[in-house]
Amino acid sequence: MKKLVVITGASSGIGEATAKLLSSMGHPLLLLARRVERMEVLNLPNTICRKVDILDTKTFQQAITEAEEKFGDVDCLVNNAGVMLLGDSTTQDISEWNQMIDVNIKGLLNGIHLVLNKMVKRNCGTIINISSVAGRKTFSDHAIYCGTKFAVHSISDAIRKEVSASNVRVSIIAPGVVETELLSHTTDKGIVDGYKEWKDNMGEALTSENIASAVDYIYHLPQSVCVREVLIAPTKQPD
Ligand code: NDP
């Protein structure tokens, strides 16, 4: 059997597409998200689906322990779960800022914390953090989202250096616009409408499967090759 891959935020979008692709390649999987029924319905073989909020380190750890007992040590973590709550910084509720900081930074760090030490001890492992083009440049109404994704870049790069001698890879995928449910959580209707108009005028967005292919590419290169970052956007996305 191939090695165990953990995917956070596998109940929709990029995480779901990555789960389907890696499962079709024979990997046992641990899929984590709050909407567990959305993962169970995929009915993937050798797959454990657990209702885990990535901010809850206890259930996050329990799920990893359970999967490792069944399938062996985690070989790859796809740190994908995230939220994008676009807003005008002068009016946006601070709870939305905190939610993005919690999920996109602290939740991602929880995942790293739970697997990194063991990977270093084993001298093998891969962590793929899903960031965004908004982790490389700023956009209006994206101030806090950009802040969280810029943090993903700096944290990933610094940890990559720390664990490089231990043969552990830390990679970043920074997508442009992907057609998923991500925008649906933004509460400001005017911003949602403006974003949709911008997206529609641009033309074809990326698909979740496009990003899953990037995960496959990064992960299945030899362990001696670390793709540090993939910045991938629709051809017609100018920014
Ligand atoms: P979706 O909204 O489809 O997926 C987000 C996933 O994150 C869901 O499975 C959701 O599961 C999960 N999630 C959110 N909060 C938590 C939490 N507290 N605990 C566990 N899981 C959580 O959007 P995408 O697939 O687009 O997003 C995936 C990643 O890609 C995100 O990090 C996003 O920032 C990034 N990205 C997306 C882009 C896009 O245009 N779509 C562009 C650039 C980056 P559940 O609600 O069931 O818990």
Side-chain angles (χ1 to χ4, degrees):
M1 189 182 288
K2 291 196 178 171
K3 293 179 178 174
L4 173 62
V5 179
V6 178
I7 304 172
T8 67
S11 59
S12 60
I14 293 167
E16 178 184 326
T18 303
K20 287 180 185 163
L21 182 62
L22 295 187
S23 178
S24 74
M25 295 171 165
H27 285 280
L29 300 176
L30 171 63
L31 304 184
L32 305 174
R34 293 162 303 176
R35 293 170 297 170
V36 68
E37 62 290 344
R38 293 269 300 253
M39 302 182 291
E40 285 169 348
V41 82
L42 301 176
N43 202 21
L44 300 176
N46 296 315
T47 295
I48 296 175
C49 305
R50 288 293 170 264
K51 181 184 175 78
V52 168
D53 183 325
I54 56 167
L55 296 174
D56 179 358
T57 46
K58 193 166 167 227
T59 52
F60 201 162
Q61 172 72 78
Q62 279 168 350
I64 288 180
T65 302
E66 180 189 358
E68 288 193 323
E69 279 169 7
K70 191 160 182 197
F71 298 122
D73 290 336
V74 175
D75 190 51
C76 178
L77 166 66
V78 184
N79 241 336
N80 163 75
V83 285
M84 180 180 78
L85 305 170
L86 302 183
D88 176 341
S89 306
T90 58
T91 54
Q92 189 172 18
D93 194 297
I94 198 164
S95 65
E96 297 196 347
W97 294 6
N98 286 330
Q99 194 186 343
M100 285 187 280
I101 290 165
D102 284 346
V103 178
N104 299 357
I105 303 178
K106 295 184 191 171
L108 177 121
L109 284 173
N110 286 341
I112 293 172
H113 181 72
L114 291 174
V115 300
L116 187 66
N117 194 22
K118 245 177 150 179
M119 287 180 173
V120 166
K121 285 188 178 144
R122 280 200 339 266
N123 278 294
C124 194
T126 302
I127 295 174
I128 301 175
N129 292 326
I130 306 299
S131 179
S132 171
V133 167
R136 277 283 171 229
K137 55 197 292 189
T138 58
F139 298 84
S140 57
D141 300 323
H142 284 63
I144 313 309
Y145 182 69
C146 284
T148 65
K149 294 300 189 179
F150 271 65
V152 172
H153 281 263
S154 53
I155 290 165
S156 304
D157 196 52
I159 294 179
R160 182 190 54 70
K161 286 182 197 169
E162 289 176 9
V163 299
S164 58
S166 304
N167 202 34
V168 174
R169 302 183 293 186
V170 179
S171 300
I172 302 163
I173 299 177
V177 181
V178 188
E179 196 65 64
T180 69
E181 297 173 16
L182 191 70
L183 181 67
S184 67
H185 306 291
T186 291
T187 52
D188 184 319
K189 192 176 173 314
I191 291 176
V192 170
D193 290 346
Y195 188 97
K196 281 185 179 157
E197 195 184 333
W198 172 73
K199 186 164 68 102
D200 291 347
N201 287 340
M202 186 176 74
E204 215 174 335
L206 297 176
T207 64
S208 295
E209 289 72 22
N210 296 145
I211 309 304
S213 300
V215 173
D216 164 33
Y217 169 69
I218 291 169
Y219 180 40
H220 289 115
L221 283 167
Q223 188 69 29
S224 56
V225 181
C226 178
V227 177
R228 295 184 183 182
E229 183 175 331
V230 171
L231 189 58
I232 175 172
T235 304
K236 291 184 177 176
Q237 180 174 340
D239 302 310

